[in-house]
Amino acid sequence: MKKELLIASVFAATIAGAGSVTTSNTMGYVPVDGVNSTTANGKKMYMVVAPFSGYDNGQIALADVIQTAGLSQGDEIFIPNGAGYDNYTLDDKGAWTASKIVTINSDGTVTEKSGKPADTATIDRGNGFWVKTEASSLSLFGNAVTAKAQVSAAGGGSKNAWTMIGSTLNGEIKVSSIGGNKGDVIILANGTRYTRAASGWYKTPTGDAASQVTDSDVVPAGVGFWYASKSGLKQDL
């Protein structure tokens, strides 16, 4: 299931500004605890989202959003690019380095090319990405914002399309406040699952009253989640 979800994220989220967004011109900080992670090959896999903007309300630079203190050489970042992932590895100098892209051609020859340089890589507010590390927590930094932005999820086909999204503000999201249509699904990296029924979100697919979400069902700040939708989602987060 996890492998299928990872592959499914090629339907990457796209973010569009919701009107004018103002900033407080102050540095924002979000800690992400390891309880909101899963494990792959002995390392934690954090699905995170940057609830910040860069300068002038633009995209935030990869080098700025992930605090490398506490991380180790060899830790990785995977950013959805619409056809897979841009992959970056932390080097021995504490800088993110783009991984090479290897292609096996039809004639059996191998072609290598460098990925998008880390110093030009950017992340959109509300767009989820993976951090692979042994660290027990992560720290996210960016330009604090005072207005939400619109988040779009993949959709429009006969089957649910998966997207990694999350809050565009430095604050938790109540699951009950997330819009959607019957049959939509939310899955957190730690396995927590919610299903949308006609009357709201439930912790089980059956929609029985006892499993309807309450105000205690939240997605913490900085934590991304899978959103599966047929029709697509566009709302303020």
Side-chain angles (χ1 to χ4, degrees):
M1 178 65 173
K2 292 178 181 176
K3 182 177 181 181
E4 293 175 354
L5 292 183
L6 193 61
I7 294 173
S9 72
V10 298
F11 300 95
T14 56
I15 310 303
S20 60
V21 179
T22 59
T23 70
S24 61
N25 296 317
T26 58
M27 181 62 73
Y29 162 72
V30 172
V32 179
D33 190 85
V35 70
N36 296 296
S37 67
T38 186
T39 302
N41 299 324
K43 288 193 174 184
K44 293 181 181 298
M45 291 289 291
Y46 292 85
M47 189 195 300
V48 296
V49 62
F52 307 116
S53 72
Y55 294 109
D56 297 325
N57 297 324
Q59 297 171 312
I60 187 167
L62 167 64
D64 294 336
V65 71
I66 296 291
Q67 175 64 45
T68 57
L71 300 185
S72 303
Q73 180 181 353
D75 287 350
E76 296 178 89
I77 288 177
F78 301 87
I79 303 175
N81 59 20
Y85 291 89
D86 293 325
N87 178 217
Y88 300 90
T89 303
L90 193 64
D91 65 20
D92 58 354
K93 297 180 179 62
W96 296 107
T97 302
S99 299
K100 290 184 177 181
I101 301 172
V102 179
T103 302
I104 301 177
N105 304 310
S106 59
D107 61 0
T109 59
V110 176
T111 302
E112 289 188 2
K113 66 177 181 179
S114 298
K116 185 177 182 179
D119 58 359
T120 63
T122 56
I123 298 170
D124 291 308
R125 288 174 63 196
N127 188 12
F129 59 99
W130 291 101
V131 180
K132 185 177 182 181
T133 176
E134 293 179 350
S136 59
S137 63
L138 295 176
S139 297
L140 307 177
F141 290 86
N143 196 33
V145 290
T146 57
K148 294 179 180 179
Q150 285 193 320
V151 177
S152 296
S158 60
K159 296 182 179 180
N160 276 357
W162 294 89
T163 311
M164 291 191 289
I165 58 176
S167 176
T168 62
L169 293 179
N170 183 358
E172 64 184 23
I173 301 176
K174 292 182 180 179
V175 175
S176 60
S177 71
I178 300 173
N181 298 296
K182 184 177 180 180
D184 289 355
V185 178
I186 289 172
I187 300 180
L188 305 187
N190 63 12
T192 303
R193 181 186 183 103
Y194 302 98
T195 302
R196 181 81 181 187
S199 55
W201 291 97
Y202 292 81
K203 298 177 185 178
T204 65
T206 57
D208 56 285
S211 70
Q212 190 165 19
V213 299
T214 66
D215 285 346
S216 64
D217 291 288
V218 298
V219 180
V223 174
F225 55 89
W226 291 110
Y227 194 94
S229 173
K230 289 187 180 72
S231 59
L233 168 74
K234 190 172 184 178
Q235 62 175 304
D236 291 342
L237 287 180

